[in-house]
Amino acid sequence: YLDCDTYVASKGGILDLFSVVEEYDVAGSIDSGRKLGSSRGIEPVPDELQSIPDAFSWINTGVVAYKKKNNVLQFINNWEQNHEEFRSNLGLEELNDQAAFRYALYHSDLRHATLPPEYNFRTPWPQSVRGRVHILHGEDSNMPDIEKVVNSDDENTSWRQFNTLSFPDGTR
């Protein structure tokens, strides 16, 4: 699954995702803006979500690879049900689906893999990558230009929030 605000910079990156789900049921990248609380407008955090240890990563659901089989489809159904329940029963109307994904994954028996940030490069967040970025994710209108910047160094790239940079034509 790819969000509508993703940009695929490398076909090989997509093929890599299929290779991961040959061995694992589901795969996604750690969410750069993880956690609930006052910074996300969710206070107090509901008990259902506090029961999961902090060490269990939040996954950004903008790039998710999954194997199409019954237990994974049931997981996706649980994810959707949890999201609706959190939003309506807990009064968390502004909550995105990542809390529900994390909750469903924590309570599942799925084998899951964590993708590195090169496979879900969140343009609004500072991060570091090693090697080429394959999938960019953000609401930026100039993803090809961003891809050129982040892939200009094939070794190590530290990315500062993109809104601190600008291109010659004035876009950012």
Side-chain angles (χ1 to χ4, degrees):
Y1 169 82
L2 296 175
D3 261 356
C4 65
D5 62 346
T6 55
Y7 175 83
V8 177
S10 153
K11 291 178 187 175
I14 295 292
L15 296 176
D16 288 347
L17 298 179
F18 285 105
S19 296
V20 170
V21 294
E22 286 178 13
E23 296 295 323
Y24 292 90
D25 297 318
V26 66
S29 294
I30 292 176
D31 180 26
S32 303
R34 61 190 175 273
K35 299 266 188 187
L36 293 179
S38 58
S39 64
R40 283 199 119 156
I42 309 295
E43 191 96 67
V45 177
D47 291 341
E48 290 91 335
L49 301 177
Q50 283 189 14
S51 67
I52 302 171
D54 282 345
F56 190 80
S57 294
W58 287 72
I59 301 297
N60 179 278
T61 55
V63 177
V64 176
Y66 63 91
K67 191 179 290 187
K68 189 175 179 182
K69 60 184 205 174
N70 287 339
N71 65 336
V72 176
L73 298 176
Q74 181 60 51
F75 160 78
I76 292 171
N77 186 52
N78 292 344
W79 170 23
E80 180 181 19
Q81 288 177 353
N82 290 337
H83 181 57
E84 289 305 315
E85 179 183 330
F86 293 163
R87 291 187 67 197
S88 59
N89 296 348
L90 299 177
L92 302 174
E93 290 298 321
E94 300 302 315
L95 185 64
N96 65 24
D97 63 344
Q98 290 164 156
F101 185 93
R102 181 174 181 251
Y103 184 84
L105 188 59
Y106 184 75
H107 293 288
S108 77
D109 63 354
L110 297 182
R111 292 190 59 209
H112 62 280
T114 303
L115 300 172
E118 294 84 5
Y119 292 87
N120 188 357
F121 184 83
R122 297 288 290 126
T123 58
W125 299 96
Q127 57 193 300
S128 294
V129 295
R130 181 157 179 101
R132 295 197 53 78
V133 169
H134 301 285
I135 302 171
L136 291 87
H137 181 190
E139 296 178 2
D140 303 277
S141 61
N142 54 346
M143 287 294 207
D145 293 330
I146 297 171
E147 188 264 329
K148 286 178 191 169
V149 171
V150 298
N151 281 333
S152 63
D153 178 358
D154 280 343
E155 290 299 315
N156 296 304
T157 302
S158 291
W159 181 253
R160 287 175 235 128
Q161 282 184 285
F162 191 66
N163 61 15
T164 62
L165 302 175
S166 62
F167 292 103
D169 66 359
T171 61
R172 51 175 209 154

